Each structure stands twice: as structure tokens, then as C-alpha cells.
Amino acid sequence: MRIILFGPPGVGKGTQAQRLAEKFNLVRLSTGDLLREEISLSSPVGRKVEQFLRKGHLVPDDIMLDIIENILLENKERDILFDGFPRNLNQAHSLERSLAQMQQEIDIAFEMHLDEDEIVKRLVNRRYCPRCERIYNLSTNPPKNDCVCDQDGAKLVTRDDDTAEVIKKRLKIYEDETRPLVSYYKSLNIYKQIDARGNQDEISDRISEIVNAYLNSKCTSN
Ligand code: AMP
């Protein structure tokens, strides 16, 4: 199974991706996490992409496609959840071509949807654990102890790109570059919009219901 999860920054995509991957035993491929890891290692790729992330710009497609190509090859036999990839039509077409070479295709493309005011509120309160990458929200999903991770006790941090100015830019880039994926995946008949209001369990249930229905429909058609 190949699932895509996309949506504007701050919609709760990372949290839902973690839950979905766990529930359905998918390899979660978060391009944002991969890039942040490269940056923290100060690798050649990390040094190349650092400025793009800091400014809230998309990393150039050639760099992203190289990264994805390698990961697809490493995980040929596994079910994959793409979290944050593709981010534009060019990436979407490339992904399809790469999957087709392995006789694979995308099963479901989820878009998480939320009003802009709510998105900004969520982003300003977002904190994450730099060690295990778990995501918190100081108002809706706070850690048990002041600003340390429940799982490993690491001090929680704010992402460099969660500042008001960069948030605005990232939302604009989403509208211009990523939103066209909606009509594209609708045309392929694999698009599902998820209402991202409510608590995390409610949102997870909405997503799981669709995945379960899809799996059942595949079982009955086989
Ligand atoms: P995310 O964690 O998904 O919000 O991604 C954080 C940042 O990583 C984005 O603002 C981009 O700078 C970069 N990024 C992540 N995925 C992609 C992608 N598929 N294409 C280009 N840039 C990406």
C-alpha cells in the first residue's frame, strides 16, 4: 500500500502520519524529518538545504527526487506512507514514474484541511522533540512536564521555521505549489479530504476509517 498525506503546515500532518504508520505498519517517509536530520548532521545535503528550510522555501526538486529514489529502492517490499512528499506537481509525476517502474501505484492521497486562523494558532504553539521527533502543542497536546518530551525527557524545541513571518510564507507556498495536487489526485480518483478539526483521536479515526474501507474493498475485489 502507498499512501500520501499532505496538507498545509501546522495542520497536524506529522502527528497523524506517526499514528497512521504505526496503526497500519507503514514505513513513514517524512521528507521534512529527513531534511532536518541531514541539517543536524551537517552532511553535504544538509548544508545544501539548510537555507531553504530556514526561509520556508521548498527544497529544489532534483535534491528531493534523489532522496526519494534511494528510499523507494530501500523499501521496495514495504508499505509506505509519504508524509510531506510530493509538494508540487513535478514531484507527484516523478513519484508516479518511479513507482510504476516497480509495478506500484498510489492507493490513497489524503489532504488534511483546516482554516488558516486555526493553522497559525497551532503553529505558534507547536514544539517538537529533537531526539524522537514527537510533536506537541502547548495548548491542545502539552507534554506532562514543562517543555520536556514525555518519551525521552529531551528538552522540547520550536522549529526554526515556525516564526510568524516564515509561517505566512509557507502557507503561500502551499497555496501556490501544493494545492494543485488536489485537482490532480481528484482526477486520478484517489483523493480524500480529511477534516483536521477536533482532537487527535477523532482525526485518526477519520483517516483509519477510510484506510480500512479501502483495504476491505480490495479484499472483496480479489
Ligand atoms: P515539513 O516538516 O513537512 O513541514 O517540511 C519542512 C520543510 O522541509 C519545508 O518547509 C521545506 O522547506 C522542506 N521540505 C519538506 N518536504 C519537501 C518536499 N517534498 N519538497 C521540497 N521541500 C520539502
Side-chain angles (χ1 to χ4, degrees), residues 2-3 10 12 17 21 23 28 30 43 51 75 77 85-86 89 105 123-124 139 159 163 208:
R2 308 278 170 279
I3 295 182
K23 184 155 187 184
R28 174 182 167 222
S30 159
S43 69
Q51 286 308 315
N75 291 286
E77 312 298 330
F85 185 92
L89 284 173
E105 56 185 12
L123 282 173
V124 169
S139 70
R159 277 171 44 168
T163 62
S208 299

Side-chain angles (χ1 to χ4, degrees), residues 9-10 13 30-33 35-36 49 52-54 56-61 64 68 83-88 91 126 159 161 170:
K13 187 166 52 69
S30 159
T31 43
D33 284 352
L35 295 168
R36 281 185 287 277
V49 302
F52 294 99
L53 270 83
R54 181 158 299 144
H57 294 167
L58 291 186
V59 169
D61 286 351
M64 293 314 303
I68 290 292
D83 165 9
F85 185 92
R87 283 287 229 273
N88 59 29
Q91 292 183 5
R126 176 160 74 178
R159 277 171 44 168
D161 54 356
R170 287 164 63 209

Side-chain angles (χ1 to χ4, degrees), residues 128-142:
Y128 90 101
C129 171
R131 202 176 293 159
C132 71
E133 287 163 0
R134 188 162 165 183
I135 303 155
Y136 296 86
N137 184 290
L138 297 184
S139 70
T140 56
N141 175 34

Side-chain angles (χ1 to χ4, degrees), residues 159-171:
R159 277 171 44 168
D160 285 349
D161 54 356
D162 279 348
T163 62
E165 191 193 339
V166 178
I167 289 169
K168 255 197 229 156
K169 203 179 297 165
R170 287 164 63 209
L171 286 171

Side-chain angles (χ1 to χ4, degrees), residues 6 86-89 92 177-186:
F6 71 102
R87 283 287 229 273
N88 59 29
L89 284 173
E177 306 252 352
T178 312
R179 178 83 69 195
L181 294 180
V182 171
S183 349
Y184 179 62
Y185 287 127
K186 271 184 184 167

Side-chain angles (χ1 to χ4, degrees), residues 36-60:
R36 281 185 287 277
E37 199 176 315
E38 295 291 337
I39 293 171
S40 72
L41 295 171
S42 209
S43 69
V45 172
R47 286 196 296 273
K48 259 197 242 171
V49 302
E50 192 167 7
Q51 286 308 315
F52 294 99
L53 270 83
R54 181 158 299 144
K55 291 182 183 156
H57 294 167
L58 291 186
V59 169

